[in-house]
């Protein structure tokens, strides 16, 4: 169970190998990619920053909590920091379990809690040249700009 | 006066204009220190959207400031 912040690109096959477990019948992975838009604005790149010591501590707590609620065998999460281009892998979650149900649910819980609780920040660089720090921490809510930005319409 | 070490991230780092500093303050708890810094540097985030970590762990806003403490004000997080 490891949660790590990485300043260098992530390689999912390498990360998945660390979770190999002969008791596992299911391996579920989530990849978060840098997409080219957010709320009607064209995004050119993303910049991630983390309070690494606390991020890794809080992330480890999330993995431990999820492991107590779901019948999983292993779990890991790695989040990038730095300037990422469109299509790059920003966050990776991998979970193993004897059966798929627990693996899917635990994977979902890990990425949701990571977004809500771990001290990582994201700055969007728009094609217009503007930038904005994003608050996408609240569960199920729309992202709220942390700095002045053009208003997006509802929904 | 209490001397504390401060680290800034993301929006607060940009609004403060630096990543860390050592500061002597008359504030007695973390909330008062955030109010003092907000007034001085024009932080736009209200305190109810910010959390504080003291010595590497999340802490309540009314935690008394101790000499040499390391504080980080945590803007709304946005990983993923």
């Amino acid at each position: 169970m490891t949660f790590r912040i990485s300043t260098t690109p992530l390689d999912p096959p390498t990360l998945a190998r660390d979770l190999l477990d002969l008791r596992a019948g299911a391996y579920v992975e989530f990849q978060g990619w840098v997409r080219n838009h957010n709320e009607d604005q064209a995004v050119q790149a993303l910049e991630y920053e983390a309070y690494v010591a606390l991020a890794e501590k809080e992330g480890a707590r999330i993995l431990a909590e999820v492991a107590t609620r779901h019948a999983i065998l292993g779990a890991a999460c790695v989040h990038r920091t730095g300037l990422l281009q469109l299509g790059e892998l920003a966050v990776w979650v991998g979970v193993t379990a004897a059966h798929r149900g627990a693996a899917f649910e635990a994977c979902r819980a890990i990425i949701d809690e990571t977004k809500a609780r771990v001290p990582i920040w994201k700055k969007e660089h728009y094609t217009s040249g503007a930038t904005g720090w994003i608050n996408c921490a609240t569960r199920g809510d729309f992202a709220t700009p942390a700095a002045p930005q053009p208003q997006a319409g509802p929904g | 006066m209490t001397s504390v070490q401060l680290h800034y991230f993301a929006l607060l780092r940009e609004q403060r204009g630096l990543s860390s500093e050592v500061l002597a303050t008359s504030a007695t708890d973390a909330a008062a220190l955030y109010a003092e810094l907000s007034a001085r540097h024009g932080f736009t985030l209200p305190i109810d959207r910010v959390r504080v970590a003291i010595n590497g762990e999340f802490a309540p806003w009314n935690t008394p400031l101790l000499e040499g403490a390391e504080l980080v004000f945590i803007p709304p997080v946005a990983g993923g």
Side-chain angles (χ1 to χ4, degrees):
Chain A
M1 303 267 178
T2 55
F3 188 106
R4 195 159 58 78
I5 300 295
S6 174
T7 58
T8 56
L10 312 181
D11 181 49
T14 304
L15 296 168
R17 256 199 304 281
D18 290 339
L19 289 173
L20 276 178
D21 187 328
L22 296 180
R23 298 169 299 167
Y27 165 71
V28 169
E29 176 181 288
F30 172 79
Q31 295 188 15
W33 295 358
V34 178
R35 66 161 182 259
N36 69 356
H37 67 279
N38 190 28
E39 297 196 346
D40 299 335
Q41 293 202 81
V43 172
Q44 184 170 290
L46 289 184
E47 191 181 333
Y48 286 97
E49 172 172 338
Y51 175 14
V52 175
L54 187 54
E56 293 187 336
K57 200 184 291 184
E58 186 72 355
R61 279 194 284 256
I62 290 169
L63 297 180
E65 288 167 19
V66 168
T68 64
R69 290 198 301 269
H70 302 277
I72 61 174
L73 293 166
C77 178
V78 188
H79 202 298
R80 275 295 309 277
T81 54
L83 186 67
L84 276 70
Q85 302 302 321
L86 298 182
E88 274 200 85
L89 179 54
V91 57
W92 172 92
V93 180
V95 178
T96 53
H99 303 286
R100 68 186 182 284
F104 275 116
E105 287 165 18
C107 188
R108 175 67 187 260
I110 290 166
I111 187 61
D112 286 356
E113 291 298 310
T114 295
K115 289 169 75 85
R117 289 165 50 184
V118 177
I120 298 170
W121 301 276
K122 171 166 50 189
K123 186 184 204 179
E124 289 184 339
H125 293 248
Y126 305 106
T127 53
S128 64
T131 62
W133 290 102
I134 299 306
N135 166 23
C136 56
T138 51
R139 296 171 174 80
D141 282 350
F142 294 107
T144 306
Q149 288 178 15
Q151 291 296 304
Chain B
M1 298 291 269
T2 309
S3 177
V4 296
Q5 184 163 24
L6 294 159
H7 299 286
Y8 299 100
F9 290 96
L11 182 63
L12 291 176
R13 175 176 52 72
E14 292 184 351
Q15 292 181 340
R16 176 61 189 93
L18 45 75
S19 296
S20 56
E21 65 179 329
V22 173
L23 185 79
T25 178
S26 57
T28 56
D29 66 13
L33 178 57
Y34 187 77
E36 175 187 323
L37 292 166
S38 290
R40 190 178 306 155
H41 304 297
F43 294 164
T44 52
L45 287 168
I47 194 167
D48 62 3
R49 295 192 58 205
V50 179
R51 297 181 75 184
V52 63
I54 302 178
N55 298 328
E57 194 50 82
F58 292 112
W61 277 111
N62 62 1
T63 304
L65 293 186
L66 298 179
E67 182 70 23
E70 182 183 281
L71 282 88
V72 179
F73 297 114
I74 299 178
V77 302

